[in-house]
Amino acid sequence: MSSSTEATSGPLQRLALWAQHHYRAVFVGFALLLLVALGLASRLRFDTDVLNLLPRKDPVINAYMDTLKDFGTFDYLMITVRVPEGAMIAPYESFVDRLGARLEGIEQINTVDYRIGDPIELVETFFPYALLFLDEDGRATLAERLSDEGIDRRAQELKRLLTTPQALAMKDLVKLDPLGIAEILSGGLSVGRGGLAIDWSSGYFLSKDRQVLLLLVKPTKAPQNIAFDRELVGATQAAIDATLAEWEEIAGPSGSSRPLPPTTRSGGPYVTALIDASAIQGDMTVNMLSSMALVLLLFLIAFRRLGPLTYAFIPLASGLVLTFGFSAVAFGTLSTATSGTAALLIGLGIDFIIVFYGRFVEERNAGAGFERALAKTMGTSGRAVVVGAVTTAATFYAFAFTDFRGLRQMGILTGTGILLCMAAVLLLLPAMLAWSENHSRRRRKAPRLYLHSFGSEWMIDLCMRYPKTVLGLGLLVTVGAGTLLGELRFEDNWRSMRPAGNAGVEVEQEVAESFDSDFDFMMLVLQGEEIEPLLERTAEITQRAQALVEAGVMKGVSSVTKFVPAPSAQREALEWLRAGREDGRFDMERIRSRFAQALAALNRRVEPFSGGLDLLDKALAARQPVRVEDFGGNRQVRQLLDRALLPLESGWKSVIYLYPPPEVYRRQAPQEVLDLAEDLGDEVMLTGANLVNERMRNRIRRDAWIAALLGTFVVALLLWLDFRSLRAAILALVPLAVGVIWMLGGMVLLGISMNFMNIFVTTMIIGIGVDYGLHMVHRYYEVRRSTADQVRDGLRQTGNAIVVAALSTMVGFGSMSLSHYPGLRTTGYVAVLGAALTALVAITMLPAYLSLRVRRRLDLP
């Protein structure tokens, strides 16, 4: 490898000299480019929907997203209304009625559910078809109940029921169903709501302790739309406040007898997303301002001049603007995954400026004239900057092979941004230095140039004086850190990466505890061209899934067959009813007469139950199967059906919901459910939020390893092409390899787990760490033919720039340690560890080894 860098014939030197003599053209050209880029960047849209970041080649994720698209989002805004201890429930139900009506008038809201509807209306709707839902055991139970002995026992139960405290609330339902046949409806509807507790005397969603009423608000858009969330939550809170202001009208005039107003809380995914977004925006502001202030302060301390602040700011800002202009052309949107690109580019691009300007300062302080110093800087550090930028960009371009569109965009955008920042540094910085030099000459004042070492010079001196001791200690530390790698944990629980105290999450937990249910369900999705075969298949799968409920694996199962049984089951039930009518078991005259006699024996009259007996007569006289369209007139039932059955252009889609016990199977599906889905075949797809999360966890881990390995391979290849020496390439990779081992061992000692956020910092560390080794090895090959003192001085000067670059990265990314989010905090910790330790290896172990080579060449002791 040639060490001659004095000539100015190389392309980089010629570029620097051209920028020096035509700095005005450079400024004008960049100004025009920036204007165009700003115009393009102004068209960028911010896509907050994280679903758009997911891979679309995974069948489970595709099924989940398609089901969301077809059936609408399953996310709710939850509003809890807590009843004061010991208070009567009636005025609070009236409050919910008034609040629900007010919420339905908000344009951001699609539906509001807080009760199943009028229970009497539901009974009247379902009762004529109720007997078609009965299986063989249910039909046997009904036949026994309609026998003379069964009717007598039911009369006794009615007498006992009507003397309980709940009799007043239940009497209307009992009148419509004196023989208790409508119990089948409660089972169907309860499971249809995911097992939510329902007060069947009134139909309200009421907790089992009768202390919490629940409103389920289904908005018109997904919670990932933060602007929509803000409008929704604001309008909802205004409705709550307006309804609370009417409490005196609802509960009666003031006085000791008037109950206290309820306590209301809003929560669920919409509130959670809004609070998260607010916290993230606050964190971003704090991180950006603090990192910018600290980096500028570091520059001021390192260079002791205000000028370098301009040299840092203008090329970086130009690179960022060009990057976002490129983003507008390439993608058109910025996502949550690409929103951190600016911070990444600042942290990575600042290294180019420090190394370049640090070498320029060194050459000027050594007595070189401006033109010679600029040409030499460009031929040495400029070349290292180019190689460093290309290798760092390569590590991010490795993400182009991931299935995650968000990560793919982040990789391409960051990689391209690094190259654009490099181009801005190589063109703008020489031009700015030339302008400053020209300005200084006019004022006849030589610029004061300085670069603070921050102790790196004496450290490099010490390591080169005692190389074997340093290498021995480094080896011990590396082995010790390596033994800890097996203890490094991967935290794959998304909840652990969120801050505590989010009201949206707290309300979800309150609902899960109060109602013994939550909204984390799995789905079995199937399609068919004809509705009857689809209903048959759905009924078969529902029955098999019901076995999981009986085994305690699932809490509930819901499908369209809870409202429209399979045609074959209906035909069987209709045949059974016909036979019962013919043999007298379902003779309505006998049933009426026997029931009247049983009541008379208990001093009860039959007349109050005549309406219910008429409904039973209709049910027993059923001769036609129930169809989906038979329930079109009932809005509540229609909404439940629409969640389970959807007409398509060429057929139907059916969804079977599997409800797990609260707070169970959030992260993965139980093996019994996976076995069921596998046994059902390819025609049925199992999906759900927990399965999607599990797929994402596995894919992120896999893609992170692929990106890291691929990035490392590409970096090694580029280093070999740059140095044309395998030994030099390996030397440049040593600080990266050893530094990463130290970083991972340090994470174990500090109790920091790897997670989905900080795992990708490793890729960034690859780009940073290899730059530190690259610059040091480049400088060594430049001065390796010189004396030992000259080699030491050269490495000391490069070490100064490496330390300042590492410190700038540490203060830039270290500000993330102030985040509210544990995941982001650990990202800051890992970034600081990685930058510090790879730089430490570059200025200790690497100079120690290079010192041994110099001593061997010069035959020194």
Side-chain angles (χ1 to χ4, degrees):
M1 177 177 174
S2 174
S3 61
S4 177
T5 57
E6 299 294 326
T8 59
S9 59
L12 290 177
Q13 292 96 321
R14 290 199 298 271
L15 178 66
L17 295 179
W18 181 87
Q20 173 195 353
H21 296 296
H22 302 87
Y23 61 82
R24 292 185 180 86
V26 172
F27 295 153
V28 172
F30 261 89
L32 294 175
L33 280 175
L34 293 178
L35 285 175
V36 174
L38 283 172
L40 293 172
S42 65
R43 302 178 184 178
L44 275 172
R45 294 178 295 105
F46 193 81
D47 184 4
T48 59
D49 192 345
V50 297
L51 294 178
N52 291 334
L53 306 180
L54 300 180
R56 294 310 303 268
K57 296 180 181 179
D58 189 296
V60 171
I61 296 177
N62 284 345
Y64 184 73
M65 296 183 68
D66 290 343
T67 304
L68 286 180
K69 179 181 177 181
D70 292 337
F71 291 89
T73 176
F74 300 118
D75 295 312
Y76 290 98
L77 173 65
M78 304 175 188
I79 302 175
T80 59
V81 178
R82 182 164 288 276
V83 179
E85 189 74 30
M88 296 291 292
I89 195 69
Y92 301 94
E93 291 178 340
S94 299
F95 175 88
V96 168
D97 284 332
R98 188 167 296 195
L99 175 59
R102 185 170 269 127
L103 291 171
E104 287 178 340
I106 297 176
E107 64 175 336
Q108 291 87 1
I109 293 176
N110 189 8
T111 61
V112 181
D113 291 338
Y114 51 90
R115 61 186 300 188
I116 61 170
D118 186 350
I120 295 176
E121 179 186 352
L122 285 175
V123 171
E124 291 177 340
T125 300
F126 271 95
F127 215 104
Y129 313 106
L131 305 186
L132 302 181
F133 289 80
L134 298 176
D135 57 15
E136 186 175 349
D137 292 338
R139 292 194 289 268
T141 301
L142 179 63
E144 190 279 331
R145 181 169 293 187
L146 295 183
S147 67
D148 290 346
E149 295 80 7
I151 292 173
D152 292 343
R153 284 194 295 271
R154 179 59 180 174
Q156 291 285 348
E157 293 174 7
L158 281 178
K159 179 182 178 181
R160 184 169 57 255
L161 178 63
L162 293 174
T163 58
T164 61
Q166 293 82 21
L168 183 62
M170 295 291 295
K171 67 177 184 179
D172 289 335
L173 283 175
V174 172
K175 288 179 181 179
L176 287 177
D177 184 24
L179 295 175
I181 310 235
E183 292 173 0
I184 190 173
L185 298 181
S186 65
L189 288 177
S190 175
V191 175
R193 285 296 182 187
L196 275 179
I198 294 174
D199 177 17
W200 285 99
S201 63
S202 60
Y204 289 91
F205 298 160
L206 180 65
S207 62
K208 294 180 179 180
D209 62 3
R210 303 182 68 80
Q211 293 296 300
V212 180
L213 289 157
L214 175 66
L215 295 94
L216 295 177
V217 177
K218 188 173 183 181
T220 56
K221 296 182 180 180
Q224 291 80 20
N225 189 325
I226 302 302
F228 173 81
D229 295 344
R230 191 172 291 110
E231 296 175 357
L232 170 69
V233 173
T236 300
Q237 188 58 49
I240 293 173
D241 294 339
T243 309
L244 284 171
E246 300 170 355
W247 179 247
E248 181 175 348
E249 179 184 340
I250 296 171
S254 60
S256 59
S257 61
R258 192 179 78 183
L260 294 173
T263 302
T264 63
R265 296 187 73 190
S266 299
Y270 291 87
V271 177
T272 300
L274 186 59
I275 294 175
D276 281 352
S278 177
I280 290 173
Q281 289 174 355
D283 285 349
M284 287 177 61
T285 302
V286 171
N287 293 344
M288 184 175 296
L289 293 178
S290 61
S291 61
M292 184 177 296
L294 290 172
V295 167
L296 293 179
L297 178 62
L298 176 66
F299 259 68
L300 189 59
I301 295 173
F303 294 102
R304 296 185 179 180
R305 294 180 61 218
L306 293 176
L309 300 183
T310 307
Y311 300 152
F313 176 77
I314 292 179
L316 275 183
S318 300
L320 289 176
V321 172
L322 292 175
T323 300
F324 287 117
F326 166 80
S327 178
V329 175
F331 306 118
T333 60
L334 283 179
S335 67
T336 52
T338 55
S339 59
T341 299
L344 282 172
L345 293 178
I346 291 173
L348 296 169
I350 199 73
D351 290 1
F352 306 153
I353 298 170
I354 292 172
V355 171
F356 188 99
Y357 184 68
R359 182 59 185 270
F360 177 76
V361 168
E362 177 190 344
E363 295 297 330
R364 291 302 306 272
N365 287 338
F370 176 84
E371 186 168 306
R372 176 169 177 165
L374 184 61
K376 190 169 183 179
T377 297
M378 186 66 93
T380 54
S381 293
R383 177 182 172 184
V385 164
V386 170
V387 177
V390 173
T391 55
T392 304
T395 63
F396 284 94
Y397 281 137
F399 285 111
F401 298 95
T402 181
D403 290 336
F404 282 84
R405 288 184 290 178
L407 291 178
R408 187 164 61 247
Q409 287 184 10
M410 183 274 291
I412 295 174
L413 187 59
T414 306
T416 303
I418 289 170
L419 298 180
L420 291 173
C421 286
M422 175 201 71
V425 169
L426 295 182
L427 277 170
L428 277 176
L429 192 51
M432 294 171 67
L433 291 172
W435 177 88
S436 176
E437 179 72 11
N438 186 45
H439 186 69
S440 298
R441 286 174 179 171
R442 290 178 181 178
R443 294 192 306 169
R444 297 181 180 179
K445 180 179 179 182
R448 293 177 291 109
L449 303 177
Y450 178 81
L451 178 59
H452 202 299
S453 69
F454 291 98
S456 63
E457 291 185 354
W458 72 261
M459 186 175 292
I460 291 176
D461 285 345
L462 186 68
C463 294
M464 296 187 74
R465 188 177 301 123
Y466 305 104
K468 293 181 180 179
T469 302
V470 171
L471 291 174
L473 290 174
L475 181 61
L476 286 176
V477 174
T478 304
V479 172
T483 60
L484 296 175
L485 298 185
E487 301 178 29
L488 184 65
R489 295 189 307 109
F490 190 94
E491 179 57 71
D492 60 359
N493 186 351
W494 290 99
R495 291 191 171 191
S496 67
M497 288 178 277
R498 310 186 75 153
N502 189 305
V505 176
E506 292 175 350
V507 170
E508 284 191 74
Q509 294 172 344
E510 179 186 6
V511 170
E513 295 170 1
S514 299
F515 290 82
D516 192 26
S517 178
D518 57 26
F519 297 87
D520 288 326
F521 49 80
M522 290 162 281
M523 298 173 285
L524 291 166
V525 184
L526 62 158
Q527 294 183 214
E529 295 182 0
E530 301 293 335
I531 190 168
E532 287 200 8
L534 183 64
L535 289 175
E536 292 285 357
R537 183 66 169 146
T538 300
E540 175 194 343
I541 297 172
T542 303
Q543 185 176 7
R544 294 185 61 178
Q546 187 65 35
L548 299 179
V549 177
E550 296 168 0
V553 178
M554 290 286 105
K555 186 176 184 292
V557 177
S558 175
S559 71
V560 66
T561 57
K562 294 293 180 179
F563 311 101
V564 182
S568 61
Q570 293 196 59
R571 288 192 291 268
E572 186 177 339
L574 289 170
E575 177 59 27
W576 175 74
L577 287 174
R578 184 194 62 77
R581 289 192 297 267
E582 291 181 355
D583 62 22
R585 285 177 297 161
F586 302 148
D587 181 5
M588 202 58 206
E589 290 186 9
R590 177 190 63 80
I591 294 172
R592 287 179 187 272
S593 175
R594 187 69 182 192
F595 188 55
Q597 293 175 19
L599 289 177
L602 299 172
N603 295 320
R604 297 283 181 176
R605 297 169 51 247
V606 73
E607 286 77 10
F609 304 101
S610 59
L613 293 174
D614 290 341
L615 285 176
L616 178 59
D617 189 9
K618 291 182 180 179
L620 292 172
R623 288 174 171 79
Q624 296 295 328
V626 62
R627 301 169 301 169
V628 172
E629 50 267 31
D630 291 332
F631 297 112
N634 188 293
R635 185 178 69 90
Q636 291 284 335
V637 178
R638 186 71 254 175
Q639 288 179 3
L640 293 173
L641 282 172
D642 287 344
R643 294 182 72 247
L645 186 69
L646 178 74
L648 305 174
E649 292 184 2
S650 59
W652 296 80
K653 177 180 286 190
S654 175
V655 177
I656 301 162
Y657 296 91
L658 309 178
Y659 295 97
E663 301 296 325
V664 180
Y665 305 126
R666 282 183 174 271
R667 298 176 62 206
Q668 59 188 19
Q671 188 59 46
E672 294 87 345
V673 173
L674 296 176
D675 292 341
L676 172 62
E678 183 178 2
D679 190 53
L680 291 174
D682 295 338
E683 63 171 321
V684 180
M685 177 59 64
L686 174 67
T687 189
N690 56 352
L691 284 102
V692 170
N693 288 337
E694 184 180 14
R695 292 295 183 101
M696 288 177 62
R697 290 195 299 268
N698 294 334
R699 281 177 171 268
I700 285 175
R701 282 197 293 258
R702 184 201 68 180
D703 289 352
W705 278 109
I706 291 175
L709 293 175
L710 182 59
T712 303
F713 172 77
V714 173
V715 164
L717 179 63
L718 290 172
L719 289 177
W720 177 76
L721 292 174
D722 176 44
F723 289 110
R724 302 297 173 89
S725 166
L726 182 60
R727 174 182 291 182
I730 293 175
L731 274 178
L733 287 172
V734 166
L736 169 64
V738 176
V740 168
I741 293 174
W742 289 11
M743 178 190 76
L744 298 177
M747 291 174 63
V748 175
L749 291 176
L750 296 174
I752 303 172
S753 299
M754 196 72 79
N755 58 49
F756 294 116
M757 293 185 179
N758 63 35
I759 192 173
F760 292 104
V761 175
T762 306
T763 302
M764 184 193 74
I765 296 301
I766 292 174
I768 293 174
V770 77
D771 284 355
Y772 299 154
L774 170 71
H775 295 310
M776 191 64 82
V777 175
H778 256 289
R779 188 55 179 270
Y780 169 74
Y781 272 89
E782 180 185 340
V783 298
R784 63 176 177 166
R785 303 296 183 189
S786 306
T787 67
D789 288 342
Q790 289 174 325
V791 171
R792 183 198 61 202
D793 291 342
L795 295 182
R796 286 174 58 186
Q797 295 296 331
T798 301
N800 293 349
I802 289 174
V803 168
V804 175
L807 288 174
S808 67
T809 300
M810 291 167 63
V811 299
F813 287 96
S815 63
M816 298 174 69
S817 304
L818 305 175
S819 173
H820 291 85
Y821 284 78
L824 287 177
R825 283 202 300 270
T826 62
T827 300
Y829 300 153
V830 174
V832 169
L833 272 177
L837 294 177
T838 51
L840 182 62
V841 176
I843 64 171
T844 56
M845 293 184 68
L846 194 54
Y849 172 77
L850 295 175
S851 174
L852 291 177
R853 293 186 62 179
V854 171
R855 292 183 182 190
R856 188 163 47 248
R857 179 178 63 83
L858 299 176
D859 197 23
L860 298 174

